[in-house]
């Protein structure tokens, strides 16, 4: 019996011993840290594989006789003799510093600090027999926060923060250079330390080394409770994390403390899953924490593997909650390589132990998901989590021009390119020479989606936006549209692609991106009415003017008419007192009244101009009696094509300057199939046109500037559409390189003269 009790503390690793601990109700899975430094192992007479994990022992009557030495020092490094300061080669830096004191009326105390290769100690004085008051052991997990100006402004001293395993020191000095010197020295000692490992890491390594030996693997699991399911809380993380809080990081605003504390909190959340009525909020909370704190992803995977190993009642609804979270994790984040191998081994082991069960089904689903996951920008939405829990596919609604919509099955790994491919197959557009793309937008905004973007991330953003504005009428949606207009002349008349051209041309007209006369715009509006409603009838509901005609033209006419109308003079009452104060009050009231009258006059003129324009459009509509919808759409497209820049995607440019010295404001940058052109807003002819064959580089120059280099000329554009312009230019140039044959790459139409077009390094926008 004594032999059996002793063997229960043995691991499979030769010479690996866990000593007994007296920690009351705390369980065996509390993680420990050990040092694998060779010189420490040899000084204790052991080989490299003979490593002992120790924790400070306690007696029934209180602390042991070694209590005078810090607990972390006894468990991690060889003990030092207490008391005298000896001059030895291990001393790195020494000097007077102030240490922050908490809990008393004295905020700082002055001590003599000595930095060695193993610890940071402080004494009562710098005398030889001075008493050591404290010691902070330095390992690879310690961290240093460098001096900052905020602390200097508050205290008049430069401070550094040193985080250790059990406690931390905030140290102060009057001199900035001295603070930097101490921070550098401490960081150098930390960097020189061997990596700290936990028993979980060592056991994972043992499992990988013995994965082909089933008996050895079972022995590891049976004799190491830290690897198996538990109903008790976890008191420390399974993996090592750097000491210190997150208050100095970008995550401090979200209320995170330390990585170790967050790991323990997550394990508590995992255990709450077993009894939760609705697991979705808890699952999404864990995923959000892993998204914010990347180092915790491996920890959560290890915790889930632990809780799904050796379960007392497998395949019950409570135990399957862990598998549901593991399914969501596998579709959102990938662990590190070592943890990934451990996870795959665990899944195969479960499948062999529990065939034809829900655990088997979840294991197969997770294994497949791990092979497809590439990392997500957002955590899964509530709807996606509910679908993943049941191992099903999501249904995505994709709209396309002409008020059409397709329902497509997607997974958590489906990209925008895959959706575009499915949409082309559904709509019979596989043979089209034009390029299609997904767009995300609402009534007012729209932007193209990158081909590698995960569609589930887009749906999550839509869910978050809808939660912020639940009553908004302008909900976001996914649209499938033309992206690059490469060949608009050979589109078959009976193809749905004609509808795409018609609808997107009309959207360009409404946005004011078609330089045309008012007569042509009225004709286009009439053609639009005929295509929507057929022949004119007094009983047919008419569309709103802003859906047929560019609103900025109506506003410009109303504004010009309101300015030419004579304004009524405003007279000051005869009885009004004179004086500077009263005159100022009167002037303010008069100005406000004049502005209110001008606004009313403008609104009246806007209404009159709108009614007049609508009457003209209806008269043109009447002349289209009997025209079929296909014929009307063809005429509409032919009118729009009269603009030489048809097919260009226009972007508003706030400011433009070239290397020749010319500059201008408020322009359009048109990105087309063969060139990039500059237009004055409303002018049909370009100011400047740059063929792609002349461009040597392009890309984002800084946060608001887009730069194009063509030979010895440079063009700089101030715009907020930096990434959109770069992506569209890349799509056109790539398409041109694919379609051109080597024999055709001559003259001005050669897209590959010299070196290929280089995209400048993009700065974050």
């Amino acid at each position: 019996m004594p032999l059996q009790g002793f063997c229960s503390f043995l691991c499979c690793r030769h010479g690996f011993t866990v000593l007994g601990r007296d920690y009351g109700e705390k369980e065996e899975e509390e993680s420990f840290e050990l040092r694998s430094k060779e010189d420490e192992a040899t000084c204790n007479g052991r080989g490299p594989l003979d490593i002992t994990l120790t924790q400070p022992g306690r007696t029934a009557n209180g602390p042991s006789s070694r209590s005078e030495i810090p607990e972390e020092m006894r468990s991690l490094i060889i003990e030092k003799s207490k008391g005298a300061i000896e001059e030895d080669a291990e001393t790195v830096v020494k000097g007077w510093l102030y240490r922050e004191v908490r809990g008393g009326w004295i905020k700082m105390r002055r001590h003599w600090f000595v930095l060695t290769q193993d610890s940071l100690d402080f004494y009562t004085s710098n005398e030889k027999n001075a008493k050591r008051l404290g010691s902070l052991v330095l390992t690879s997990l310690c961290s240093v926060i460098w001096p900052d100006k905020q602390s200097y402004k508050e205290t008049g001293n430069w401070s550094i923060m040193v985080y250790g395993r059990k406690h931390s020191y905030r140290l102060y000095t009057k001199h900035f250079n001295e603070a930097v010197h101490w921070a550098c020295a401490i960081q150098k000692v930390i960097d020189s330390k061997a990596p700290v490992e936990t028993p979980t890491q060592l056991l994972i390594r043992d499992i990988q080394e013995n994965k082909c030996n089933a008996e050895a693997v079972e022995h590891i699991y049976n004799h190491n409770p830290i690897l198996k399911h538990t109903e008790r809380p976890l008191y420390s993380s399974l993996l090592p994390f750097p000491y210190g809080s997150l208050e100095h990081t970008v995550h401090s605003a979200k209320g995170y403390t330390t990585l170790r504390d967050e790991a323990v909190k997550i394990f508590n959340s995992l255990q709450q899953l077993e009894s939760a009525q609705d697991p979705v909020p808890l699952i999404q909370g864990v995923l959000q924490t892993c998204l914010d704190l990347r180092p915790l992803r491996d920890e959560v995977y290890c915790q889930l593997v632990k809780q799904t190993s050796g379960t007392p009642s497998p395949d019950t609804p409570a135990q399957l909650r862990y598998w549901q979270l593991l399914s969501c994790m596998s579709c959102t984040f990938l662990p590190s390589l070592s943890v990934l191998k451990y996870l795959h081994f665990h899944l195969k082991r479960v499948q062999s132990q529990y065939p034809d069960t829900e655990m088997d089904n979840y294991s197969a689903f997770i294994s497949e998901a791990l092979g497809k996951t590439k990392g997500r920008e957002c955590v899964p939405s509530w709807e996606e989590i509910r679908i993943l829990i049941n191992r099903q596919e999501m249904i995505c609604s994709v709209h396309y021009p002409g008020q059409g919509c397709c329902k497509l099955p997607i997974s958590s790994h489906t990209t925008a390119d895959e959706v575009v491919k499915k949409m082309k197959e559904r709509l019979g557009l596989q043979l089209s020479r034009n390029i299609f793309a997904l767009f995300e937008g609402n009534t007012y905004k729209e932007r193209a989606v990158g081909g590698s973007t995960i569609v589930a991330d887009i749906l999550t953003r839509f869910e978050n936006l809808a939660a912020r504005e639940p009553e908004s009428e302008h909900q976001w949606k996914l649209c499938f549209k033309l992206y690059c207009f490469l060949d608009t002349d050979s589109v078959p008349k009976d193809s749905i692609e004609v509808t795409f051209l018609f609808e997107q041309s009309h959207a360009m007209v409404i946005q004011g991106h078609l330089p045309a006369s008012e007569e042509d715009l009225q004709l286009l509006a009439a053609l639009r009415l005929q295509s929507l409603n057929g022949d004119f009838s007094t009983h047919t509901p008419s569309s709103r003017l802003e859906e047929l005609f560019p609103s900025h033209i109506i506003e410009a006419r109303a504004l010009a008419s309101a300015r030419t109308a004579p304004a009524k003079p405003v007279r000051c009452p005869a009885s009004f007192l004179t004086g500077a104060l009263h005159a100022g009050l009167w002037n303010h009231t008069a100005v406000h009244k004049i502005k209110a009258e001008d606004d009313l006059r403008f609104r009246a003129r806007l209404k009159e101009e709108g009614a007049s324009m609508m009457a003209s459009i209806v008269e043109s509509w009447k002349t289209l009696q009997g025209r079929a919808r296909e014929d009307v759409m063809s005429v509409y497209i032919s009118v729009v094509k009269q603009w030489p820049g048809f097919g260009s995607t226009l972007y508003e440019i706030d400011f433009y300057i070239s290397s020749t010295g010319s500059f201008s404001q408020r322009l359009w940058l048109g990105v087309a199939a063969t060139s990039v052109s500059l237009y004055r807003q409303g002018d049909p002819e370009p100011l400047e046109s740059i063929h792609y064959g002349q461009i040597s580089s392009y890309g984002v120059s800084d946060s608001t500037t887009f730069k194009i280099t063509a030979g010895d000329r440079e063009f700089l554009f101030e715009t907020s559409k930096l990434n959109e312009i770069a992506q569209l230019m890349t799509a056109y140039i790539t398409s041109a390189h694919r379609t051109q044959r080597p024999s055709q790459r001559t003259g001005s139409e050669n897209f590959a003269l010299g070196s290929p077009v280089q995209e400048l390094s993009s700065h974050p926008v």
Side-chain angles (χ1 to χ4, degrees), residues 379-404:
V379 299
S381 63
W382 281 38
E383 179 184 358
E384 183 182 355
I385 291 175
R386 296 188 189 280
I387 290 173
L388 289 176
I389 285 175
N390 298 312
R391 305 188 305 276
Q392 298 174 346
E393 287 186 326
M394 293 182 288
I395 300 298
C396 175
S397 298
V398 182
H399 303 262
Y400 58 89
Q403 297 182 349

mmCIF file of all heavy atoms in Angstrom, residues 379-404:
data_model
loop_
_atom_site.group_PDB
_atom_site.id
_atom_site.type_symbol
_atom_site.label_atom_id
_atom_site.label_comp_id
_atom_site.label_asym_id
_atom_site.label_seq_id
_atom_site.Cartn_x
_atom_site.Cartn_y
_atom_site.Cartn_z
ATOM 1 N N VAL A 379 -15.478 37.525 -33.300
ATOM 2 C CA VAL A 379 -15.970 36.284 -32.713
ATOM 3 C C VAL A 379 -17.293 35.932 -33.386
ATOM 4 O O VAL A 379 -17.989 36.808 -33.915
ATOM 5 C CB VAL A 379 -16.158 36.428 -31.196
ATOM 6 C CG1 VAL A 379 -14.837 36.748 -30.526
ATOM 7 C CG2 VAL A 379 -17.184 37.498 -30.861
ATOM 8 N N PRO A 380 -17.660 34.674 -33.413
ATOM 9 C CA PRO A 380 -18.928 34.293 -34.046
ATOM 10 C C PRO A 380 -20.122 35.000 -33.411
ATOM 11 O O PRO A 380 -20.147 35.279 -32.211
ATOM 12 C CB PRO A 380 -18.989 32.775 -33.811
ATOM 13 C CG PRO A 380 -17.570 32.355 -33.655
ATOM 14 C CD PRO A 380 -16.884 33.500 -32.975
ATOM 15 N N SER A 381 -21.103 35.289 -34.232
ATOM 16 C CA SER A 381 -22.335 35.905 -33.754
ATOM 17 C C SER A 381 -23.151 34.881 -32.976
ATOM 18 O O SER A 381 -22.852 33.681 -32.974
ATOM 19 C CB SER A 381 -23.152 36.439 -34.929
ATOM 20 O OG SER A 381 -23.535 35.361 -35.782
ATOM 21 N N TRP A 382 -24.198 35.358 -32.311
ATOM 22 C CA TRP A 382 -25.068 34.451 -31.556
ATOM 23 C C TRP A 382 -25.677 33.403 -32.485
ATOM 24 O O TRP A 382 -25.757 32.234 -32.136
ATOM 25 C CB TRP A 382 -26.168 35.246 -30.849
ATOM 26 C CG TRP A 382 -25.713 35.915 -29.594
ATOM 27 C CD1 TRP A 382 -24.503 36.507 -29.382
ATOM 28 C CD2 TRP A 382 -26.437 36.033 -28.370
ATOM 29 N NE1 TRP A 382 -24.431 37.016 -28.114
ATOM 30 C CE2 TRP A 382 -25.608 36.742 -27.458
ATOM 31 C CE3 TRP A 382 -27.694 35.634 -27.945
ATOM 32 C CZ2 TRP A 382 -26.004 37.049 -26.166
ATOM 33 C CZ3 TRP A 382 -28.097 35.946 -26.653
ATOM 34 C CH2 TRP A 382 -27.264 36.639 -25.772
ATOM 35 N N GLU A 383 -26.103 33.847 -33.652
ATOM 36 C CA GLU A 383 -26.712 32.909 -34.592
ATOM 37 C C GLU A 383 -25.693 31.860 -35.037
ATOM 38 O O GLU A 383 -26.007 30.664 -35.114
ATOM 39 C CB GLU A 383 -27.246 33.677 -35.808
ATOM 40 C CG GLU A 383 -27.875 32.777 -36.856
ATOM 41 C CD GLU A 383 -28.306 33.537 -38.093
ATOM 42 O OE1 GLU A 383 -28.139 34.778 -38.118
ATOM 43 O OE2 GLU A 383 -28.804 32.895 -39.028
ATOM 44 N N GLU A 384 -24.477 32.281 -35.314
ATOM 45 C CA GLU A 384 -23.453 31.332 -35.743
ATOM 46 C C GLU A 384 -23.113 30.347 -34.632
ATOM 47 O O GLU A 384 -22.908 29.150 -34.878
ATOM 48 C CB GLU A 384 -22.196 32.082 -36.184
ATOM 49 C CG GLU A 384 -21.101 31.173 -36.722
ATOM 50 C CD GLU A 384 -19.841 31.919 -37.104
ATOM 51 O OE1 GLU A 384 -19.848 33.164 -37.049
ATOM 52 O OE2 GLU A 384 -18.839 31.257 -37.447
ATOM 53 N N ILE A 385 -23.034 30.830 -33.384
ATOM 54 C CA ILE A 385 -22.730 29.933 -32.262
ATOM 55 C C ILE A 385 -23.818 28.873 -32.116
ATOM 56 O O ILE A 385 -23.522 27.684 -31.914
ATOM 57 C CB ILE A 385 -22.573 30.747 -30.965
ATOM 58 C CG1 ILE A 385 -21.301 31.606 -31.035
ATOM 59 C CG2 ILE A 385 -22.502 29.825 -29.754
ATOM 60 C CD1 ILE A 385 -21.119 32.535 -29.854
ATOM 61 N N ARG A 386 -25.074 29.266 -32.249
ATOM 62 C CA ARG A 386 -26.166 28.287 -32.134
ATOM 63 C C ARG A 386 -26.068 27.248 -33.244
ATOM 64 O O ARG A 386 -26.393 26.064 -33.039
ATOM 65 C CB ARG A 386 -27.520 28.995 -32.182
ATOM 66 C CG ARG A 386 -27.750 29.940 -31.017
ATOM 67 C CD ARG A 386 -29.170 30.467 -30.999
ATOM 68 N NE ARG A 386 -29.326 31.539 -30.015
ATOM 69 C CZ ARG A 386 -29.473 31.336 -28.720
ATOM 70 N NH1 ARG A 386 -29.486 30.101 -28.246
ATOM 71 N NH2 ARG A 386 -29.611 32.362 -27.889
ATOM 72 N N ILE A 387 -25.644 27.661 -34.417
ATOM 73 C CA ILE A 387 -25.508 26.720 -35.528
ATOM 74 C C ILE A 387 -24.310 25.801 -35.314
ATOM 75 O O ILE A 387 -24.374 24.594 -35.581
ATOM 76 C CB ILE A 387 -25.392 27.503 -36.854
ATOM 77 C CG1 ILE A 387 -26.739 28.163 -37.181
ATOM 78 C CG2 ILE A 387 -24.969 26.584 -37.986
ATOM 79 C CD1 ILE A 387 -26.702 29.093 -38.350
ATOM 80 N N LEU A 388 -23.193 26.354 -34.805
ATOM 81 C CA LEU A 388 -22.012 25.531 -34.557
ATOM 82 C C LEU A 388 -22.272 24.510 -33.457
ATOM 83 O O LEU A 388 -21.734 23.393 -33.494
ATOM 84 C CB LEU A 388 -20.830 26.425 -34.178
ATOM 85 C CG LEU A 388 -20.236 27.280 -35.291
ATOM 86 C CD1 LEU A 388 -19.142 28.191 -34.740
ATOM 87 C CD2 LEU A 388 -19.677 26.406 -36.406
ATOM 88 N N ILE A 389 -23.060 24.888 -32.457
ATOM 89 C CA ILE A 389 -23.378 23.949 -31.384
ATOM 90 C C ILE A 389 -24.038 22.689 -31.945
ATOM 91 O O ILE A 389 -23.805 21.570 -31.467
ATOM 92 C CB ILE A 389 -24.296 24.639 -30.347
ATOM 93 C CG1 ILE A 389 -23.479 25.614 -29.493
ATOM 94 C CG2 ILE A 389 -25.004 23.623 -29.471
ATOM 95 C CD1 ILE A 389 -24.315 26.414 -28.528
ATOM 96 N N ASN A 390 -24.843 22.865 -32.991
ATOM 97 C CA ASN A 390 -25.541 21.734 -33.613
ATOM 98 C C ASN A 390 -24.812 21.197 -34.837
ATOM 99 O O ASN A 390 -25.364 20.347 -35.552
ATOM 100 C CB ASN A 390 -26.967 22.159 -33.995
ATOM 101 C CG ASN A 390 -27.790 22.570 -32.800
ATOM 102 O OD1 ASN A 390 -27.815 21.871 -31.796
ATOM 103 N ND2 ASN A 390 -28.457 23.721 -32.881
ATOM 104 N N ARG A 391 -23.615 21.724 -35.107
ATOM 105 C CA ARG A 391 -22.774 21.250 -36.225
ATOM 106 C C ARG A 391 -23.530 21.355 -37.553
ATOM 107 O O ARG A 391 -23.553 20.425 -38.358
ATOM 108 C CB ARG A 391 -22.315 19.810 -35.988
ATOM 109 C CG ARG A 391 -21.589 19.582 -34.672
ATOM 110 C CD ARG A 391 -21.006 18.193 -34.591
ATOM 111 N NE ARG A 391 -21.995 17.157 -34.800
ATOM 112 C CZ ARG A 391 -22.803 16.672 -33.867
ATOM 113 N NH1 ARG A 391 -22.718 17.143 -32.624
ATOM 114 N NH2 ARG A 391 -23.666 15.716 -34.142
ATOM 115 N N GLN A 392 -24.124 22.526 -37.790
ATOM 116 C CA GLN A 392 -24.871 22.750 -39.016
ATOM 117 C C GLN A 392 -24.224 23.859 -39.839
ATOM 118 O O GLN A 392 -23.256 24.484 -39.412
ATOM 119 C CB GLN A 392 -26.321 23.117 -38.681
ATOM 120 C CG GLN A 392 -27.080 22.033 -37.945
ATOM 121 C CD GLN A 392 -28.465 22.496 -37.517
ATOM 122 O OE1 GLN A 392 -28.769 23.687 -37.537
ATOM 123 N NE2 GLN A 392 -29.314 21.556 -37.116
ATOM 124 N N GLU A 393 -24.781 24.094 -41.023
ATOM 125 C CA GLU A 393 -24.314 25.179 -41.882
ATOM 126 C C GLU A 393 -25.224 26.387 -41.735
ATOM 127 O O GLU A 393 -26.429 26.261 -41.495
ATOM 128 C CB GLU A 393 -24.283 24.734 -43.347
ATOM 129 C CG GLU A 393 -23.165 23.769 -43.681
ATOM 130 C CD GLU A 393 -23.105 23.478 -45.170
ATOM 131 O OE1 GLU A 393 -24.181 23.440 -45.810
ATOM 132 O OE2 GLU A 393 -21.997 23.296 -45.699
ATOM 133 N N MET A 394 -24.632 27.575 -41.919
ATOM 134 C CA MET A 394 -25.418 28.816 -41.890
ATOM 135 C C MET A 394 -26.019 29.085 -43.269
ATOM 136 O O MET A 394 -25.524 28.590 -44.286
ATOM 137 C CB MET A 394 -24.521 29.984 -41.489
ATOM 138 C CG MET A 394 -24.008 29.925 -40.082
ATOM 139 S SD MET A 394 -23.005 31.375 -39.667
ATOM 140 C CE MET A 394 -21.550 31.022 -40.640
ATOM 141 N N ILE A 395 -27.068 29.879 -43.283
ATOM 142 C CA ILE A 395 -27.685 30.330 -44.529
ATOM 143 C C ILE A 395 -27.425 31.825 -44.655
ATOM 144 O O ILE A 395 -27.784 32.607 -43.767
ATOM 145 C CB ILE A 395 -29.193 30.041 -44.557
ATOM 146 C CG1 ILE A 395 -29.451 28.541 -44.412
ATOM 147 C CG2 ILE A 395 -29.814 30.572 -45.840
ATOM 148 C CD1 ILE A 395 -28.855 27.706 -45.531
ATOM 149 N N CYS A 396 -26.800 32.198 -45.752
ATOM 150 C CA CYS A 396 -26.428 33.596 -45.993
ATOM 151 C C CYS A 396 -27.272 34.156 -47.132
ATOM 152 O O CYS A 396 -27.381 33.526 -48.194
ATOM 153 C CB CYS A 396 -24.938 33.679 -46.324
ATOM 154 S SG CYS A 396 -24.362 35.316 -46.773
ATOM 155 N N SER A 397 -27.853 35.330 -46.918
ATOM 156 C CA SER A 397 -28.642 36.002 -47.955
ATOM 157 C C SER A 397 -27.746 36.962 -48.717
ATOM 158 O O SER A 397 -27.152 37.865 -48.125
ATOM 159 C CB SER A 397 -29.813 36.774 -47.331
ATOM 160 O OG SER A 397 -30.682 35.890 -46.661
ATOM 161 N N VAL A 398 -27.664 36.763 -50.031
ATOM 162 C CA VAL A 398 -26.842 37.614 -50.894
ATOM 163 C C VAL A 398 -27.760 38.263 -51.921
ATOM 164 O O VAL A 398 -28.417 37.569 -52.715
ATOM 165 C CB VAL A 398 -25.734 36.803 -51.600
ATOM 166 C CG1 VAL A 398 -24.874 37.724 -52.456
ATOM 167 C CG2 VAL A 398 -24.877 36.068 -50.581
ATOM 168 N N HIS A 399 -27.823 39.587 -51.907
ATOM 169 C CA HIS A 399 -28.665 40.336 -52.837
ATOM 170 C C HIS A 399 -27.877 40.665 -54.101
ATOM 171 O O HIS A 399 -26.651 40.769 -54.078
ATOM 172 C CB HIS A 399 -29.163 41.617 -52.177
ATOM 173 C CG HIS A 399 -29.930 41.375 -50.902
ATOM 174 N ND1 HIS A 399 -31.297 41.337 -50.851
ATOM 175 C CD2 HIS A 399 -29.500 41.168 -49.623
ATOM 176 C CE1 HIS A 399 -31.693 41.105 -49.613
ATOM 177 N NE2 HIS A 399 -30.624 41.001 -48.839
ATOM 178 N N TYR A 400 -28.600 40.851 -55.186
ATOM 179 C CA TYR A 400 -27.959 41.257 -56.433
ATOM 180 C C TYR A 400 -28.870 42.238 -57.165
ATOM 181 O O TYR A 400 -30.075 42.331 -56.866
ATOM 182 C CB TYR A 400 -27.625 40.041 -57.305
ATOM 183 C CG TYR A 400 -28.790 39.154 -57.681
ATOM 184 C CD1 TYR A 400 -29.540 39.404 -58.839
ATOM 185 C CD2 TYR A 400 -29.133 38.062 -56.907
ATOM 186 C CE1 TYR A 400 -30.588 38.587 -59.196
ATOM 187 C CE2 TYR A 400 -30.185 37.239 -57.252
ATOM 188 C CZ TYR A 400 -30.913 37.505 -58.399
ATOM 189 O OH TYR A 400 -31.962 36.693 -58.755
ATOM 190 N N PRO A 401 -28.338 43.015 -58.124
ATOM 191 C CA PRO A 401 -29.125 44.054 -58.799
ATOM 192 C C PRO A 401 -30.406 43.496 -59.400
ATOM 193 O O PRO A 401 -30.433 42.400 -59.957
ATOM 194 C CB PRO A 401 -28.169 44.573 -59.883
ATOM 195 C CG PRO A 401 -26.811 44.317 -59.324
ATOM 196 C CD PRO A 401 -26.929 43.044 -58.552
ATOM 197 N N GLY A 402 -31.480 44.294 -59.274
ATOM 198 C CA GLY A 402 -32.775 43.868 -59.760
ATOM 199 C C GLY A 402 -33.646 43.315 -58.658
ATOM 200 O O GLY A 402 -34.606 42.582 -58.932
ATOM 201 N N GLN A 403 -33.328 43.637 -57.408
ATOM 202 C CA GLN A 403 -34.099 43.198 -56.248
ATOM 203 C C GLN A 403 -34.125 41.684 -56.116
ATOM 204 O O GLN A 403 -35.086 41.094 -55.623
ATOM 205 C CB GLN A 403 -35.527 43.744 -56.310
ATOM 206 C CG GLN A 403 -35.592 45.261 -56.265
ATOM 207 C CD GLN A 403 -37.012 45.785 -56.278
ATOM 208 O OE1 GLN A 403 -37.949 45.046 -56.525
ATOM 209 N NE2 GLN A 403 -37.157 47.074 -56.003
ATOM 210 N N GLY A 404 -33.056 41.033 -56.572
ATOM 211 C CA GLY A 404 -32.944 39.592 -56.438
ATOM 212 C C GLY A 404 -32.179 39.224 -55.186
ATOM 213 O O GLY A 404 -31.442 40.029 -54.615
#
